[in-house]
């Protein structure tokens, strides 16, 4: 039984400020539906303590040298690698990530972002001379970080590592659905020798911790990843303090499959990718766009690909585990039923658990075809293993459908003709558009429209943690005549 009942504040593990009145929540293993842990809910008093620790540590940490911060980050990387097995086990138990995914991409993303942060920091231009003026990039201050359960280490990494690298201090609140990743992460930073107060961890839920943290007068910046609804509330809470707020929110991302020789391969890859992490990915390519004239062909390929997705005990050799919670399971089930009711063609899957699974929040890998972009399953973010296939008449129509969404987080163009794929990708209104599933730790990640604001990953992840100062007359001898 995992217990996340202490908070990491000012370099020490500490009990809640008022243990007699503190609340705890149960953590449920989504594969077994059994309680697997307990997490404490921090109070406003705990938030005050953590923010005070971060404010107290900021003057010294913000003035540390780049070589010193690089050394600290390298120490973290060493400690992270030593705990990779513990992190993976926690993700499998608490969020149902298959062991291969947890030990692979889930944990690997954290290490990859840390390695990239070190690389960026080595050459990052914190100062620039422009004639007589010096432009300086300085750490913004104390940062509040609120992260989700679907990619816990990725979302913690893309916030914490740039903040550390730029000289900020911080308070992290991970999701109460998967708290152990954050708990182990704090242990890693403690073992690596991160100075007291620079990094602080509070556990709990949105009302108990997220609200007082995002509205706290001692916080200078809030970085949030989660739903649009929660993101709006975070922004409202932060607004009276005129804080900087960055948000990575939802998506309903298009995958345009071009009409060329790679069609069959592209459709099969799109199905497999959608089922990864049980479809619980903000940037999931949940709308596949295919030429209308090849819809029947796409249906046959997609049906076969979905049938090949193995679902079951995440500790075993499976491609897909459960979704994270009963609430998520019920939401996905209702939207699958909505797709059926609205007249989409059910190609694979459907409501209920996969055959042979009597318990656990397992969802059948589901594919709908003949979907139109006005259907609920084409508009709403399902956040489950549900793919919708829409037909298009020509590339212009495909781009029109792709951009007909309130979101704009990601997209993909799949095809053998690279020049055409490049041209189409330029026209998609989204922050992260891949060509044939390209991937790059240095690419900026973030959304247009209701998918959020700000950018994470690589050097672009540094900018939101920095203020820009102009020192006029810094070099008067270099003033323009």
């Amino acid at each position: 039984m995992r217990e996340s009942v202490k908070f990491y504040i000012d370099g020490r593990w500490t009990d809640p400020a008022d243990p007699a009145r503190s609340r705890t929540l149960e953590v449920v293993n989504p594969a077994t539906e059994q309680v697997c842990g307990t997490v404490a809910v921090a109070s406003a008093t705990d938030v005050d303590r953590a923010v005070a620790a971060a404010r107290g540590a900021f003057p010294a940490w913000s003035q540390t040298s780049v070589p010193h911060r690089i050394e600290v980050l390298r120490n973290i990387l060493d400690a992270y690698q030593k705990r990779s097995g513990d992190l993976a086990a926690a993700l499998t138990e608490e969020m149902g990530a298959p062991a291969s995914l947890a030990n692979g991409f889930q944990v690997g993303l954290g290490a990859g972002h840390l390695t990239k942060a070190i690389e960026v920091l080595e050459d990052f231009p914190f100062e620039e001379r422009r004639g007589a003026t010096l432009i300086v990039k300085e750490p913004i201050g104390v940062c509040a970080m609120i992260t989700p359960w679907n990619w816990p280490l990725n979302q913690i990494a893309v916030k914490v590592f740039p903040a550390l690298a730029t000289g900020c201090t911080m308070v992290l609140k991970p999701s109460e659905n998967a708290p152990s990743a954050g708990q182990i992460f704090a242990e890693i930073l403690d073992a690596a020798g991160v100075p007291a107060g620079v990094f602080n961890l509070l556990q709990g839920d949105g009302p108990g911790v997220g609200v007082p943290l995002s509205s706290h007068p001692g916080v200078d910046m809030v970085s949030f990843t989660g739903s649009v609804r929660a993101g709006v509330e975070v922004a409202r809470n932060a607004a009276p303090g005129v804080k900087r707020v960055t948000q990575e929110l939802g998506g309903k991302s298009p995958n345009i499959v071009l009409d060329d020789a790679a069609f069959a391969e592209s459709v099969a890859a799109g199905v497999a990718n959608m089922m990864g992490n049980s479809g619980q990915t903000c940037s999931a390519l949940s709308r596949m766009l295919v030429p209308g004239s090849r819809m029947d062909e796409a249906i046959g390929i997609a049906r076969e690909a979905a049938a090949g997705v193995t679902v079951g005990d995440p500790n075993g050799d499976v491609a897909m585990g459960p979704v994270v919670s009963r609430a998520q399971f019920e939401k996905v089930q209702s939207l699958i039923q909505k797709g059926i009711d609205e007249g989409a063609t059910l190609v694979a899957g459907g409501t209920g658990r996969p055959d042979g699974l009597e318990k656990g929040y397992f969802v059948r890998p589901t594919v709908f075809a003949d979907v139109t972009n006005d259907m609920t399953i084409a508009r709403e973010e399902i956040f489950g293993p549900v793919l919708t296939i829409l037909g298009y008449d020509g590339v212009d129509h495909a781009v029109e459908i792709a951009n007909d969404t309130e979101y704009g987080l990601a997209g993909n163009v799949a095809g053998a003709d690279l020049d055409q794929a490049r041209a189409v990708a330029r026209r998609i209104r989204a922050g992260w558009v891949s060509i044939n599933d390209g991937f790059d730790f240095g690419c900026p990640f973030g959304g247009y429209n209701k998918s959020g604001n700000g950018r994470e990953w690589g050097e672009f992840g540094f900018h939101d943690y920095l203020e820009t100062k102009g020192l006029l007359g810094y070099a008067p001898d270099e003033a323009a005549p």
Side-chain angles (χ1 to χ4, degrees), residues 109-110 113-114 145 147 151-163 185 223 225 248 441 445 455-458 461-462 465:
L109 281 170
H113 286 303
L114 177 50
M145 301 167 174
T147 59
W151 290 94
L153 293 171
N154 177 77
Q155 296 304 330
I156 291 172
V158 296
K159 300 181 191 307
V160 170
F161 296 144
F185 189 87
S223 179
T225 299
E248 193 260 279
F441 275 111
F445 186 88
R455 292 296 181 267
E456 296 177 325
W457 296 46
F462 281 41
Y465 295 94

Side-chain angles (χ1 to χ4, degrees), residues 12-150:
R12 297 184 301 276
W13 290 101
T14 179
D15 292 322
D18 187 355
R21 298 179 62 187
S22 65
R23 294 188 295 126
T24 59
L25 301 172
E26 292 180 336
V27 182
V28 175
N29 182 324
T32 66
E33 301 185 45
Q34 300 299 308
V35 174
C36 65
T38 303
V39 59
V41 178
S43 65
T45 302
D46 296 310
V47 171
D48 288 341
R49 295 163 61 204
V51 172
R55 293 219 70 83
F58 179 72
W61 181 249
S62 65
Q63 296 302 308
T64 53
S65 67
V66 167
H68 177 71
R69 296 202 294 272
I70 290 174
E71 180 183 3
V72 171
L73 291 174
R74 285 177 174 157
N75 290 341
I76 295 172
L77 182 58
D78 289 341
Y80 185 96
Q81 291 169 336
K82 292 175 183 176
R83 298 295 302 276
S84 60
D86 296 333
L87 289 166
L91 295 178
T92 296
E93 184 173 35
E94 292 185 347
M95 62 160 291
S100 59
L101 175 63
N103 284 287
F105 211 43
Q106 284 273 7
V107 172
L109 281 170
H113 286 303
L114 177 50
T115 301
K116 190 65 178 181
I118 294 169
E119 176 188 323
V120 170
L121 183 56
E122 288 174 340
D123 297 306
F124 192 83
F126 287 100
E127 296 185 0
E128 177 188 356
R129 290 271 285 272
R130 294 189 179 183
T133 300
L134 180 69
I135 308 298
V136 181
K137 300 286 188 179
E138 296 182 339
I140 193 169
V142 174
C143 304
M145 301 167 174
I146 302 173
T147 59
W149 46 262
N150 59 322

Side-chain angles (χ1 to χ4, degrees), residues 271-457:
V271 174
N273 289 346
M274 182 63 225
M275 304 308 164
N277 207 40
S278 299
Q280 300 169 126
T281 300
C282 297
S283 57
L285 301 171
S286 55
R287 289 184 298 148
M288 180 185 291
L289 280 59
V290 303
S293 61
R294 302 186 74 170
M295 179 63 75
D296 288 345
E297 184 181 353
I299 287 173
I301 297 166
R303 180 179 290 116
E304 182 178 356
V309 178
T310 54
V311 186
D313 181 356
N315 291 293
D317 184 17
V318 296
M320 201 176 91
V323 295
V324 73
S325 66
R326 179 178 296 278
Q328 191 64 24
F329 176 82
E330 291 174 351
K331 174 192 174 185
V332 174
Q333 294 298 312
S334 68
L335 285 166
I336 292 174
Q337 186 61 52
K338 189 74 171 178
I340 295 171
D341 294 342
E342 291 186 345
T345 299
L346 183 62
V347 173
T351 57
R353 294 181 176 87
D355 293 342
L357 295 172
E358 303 302 324
K359 63 179 179 179
Y361 307 129
F362 296 96
V363 177
R364 301 170 70 188
T366 298
V367 178
F368 285 103
D370 300 312
V371 176
T372 57
N373 216 35
D374 60 345
M375 291 182 179
T376 303
I377 57 172
R379 308 299 302 180
E380 291 189 17
E381 184 179 37
I382 299 174
F383 228 60
V386 182
L387 175 67
T388 60
I389 304 179
L390 301 86
Y392 67 81
D393 300 317
V395 169
D396 289 345
H397 188 216
V399 172
E400 179 185 346
I401 296 171
N403 291 335
D404 180 17
T405 175
E406 65 181 4
Y407 297 109
L409 185 57
N412 182 68
V413 182
D417 186 336
L418 185 57
D419 287 339
Q420 184 182 27
R422 287 169 172 164
V424 174
R426 285 180 176 272
R427 298 172 64 187
I428 296 176
R429 294 280 297 170
W432 169 287
V433 182
S434 54
I435 297 172
N436 294 320
D437 299 312
F439 182 83
D440 179 5
F441 275 111
C443 182
F445 186 88
Y448 289 20
N449 305 321
K450 286 188 177 180
S451 286
N453 54 72
R455 292 296 181 267
E456 296 177 325
W457 296 46

Side-chain angles (χ1 to χ4, degrees), residues 184-202:
I184 297 170
F185 189 87
E187 293 170 3
I188 289 168
L189 266 60
D190 183 71
V194 174
V198 171
F199 171 86
N200 303 273
L201 172 78
L202 295 175

Side-chain angles (χ1 to χ4, degrees), residues 185-278:
F185 189 87
E187 293 170 3
I188 289 168
L189 266 60
D190 183 71
V194 174
V198 171
F199 171 86
N200 303 273
L201 172 78
L202 295 175
Q203 298 282 12
D205 56 14
V209 187
V211 171
L213 186 57
S214 58
S215 60
H216 200 287
V219 168
D220 301 294
M221 180 261 200
V222 182
S223 179
F224 173 81
T225 299
S227 68
V228 173
R229 178 197 58 76
V232 169
E233 291 305 310
V234 166
R236 284 176 176 157
N237 295 334
V242 198
K243 308 179 195 306
R244 182 178 300 171
V245 178
T246 63
Q247 302 167 312
E248 193 260 279
L249 307 175
K252 194 68 180 176
S253 301
N255 179 15
I256 299 178
V257 178
L258 299 177
D259 188 0
D260 59 25
F263 181 82
E265 179 183 350
S266 298
V267 171
V271 174
N273 289 346
M274 182 63 225
M275 304 308 164
N277 207 40
S278 299

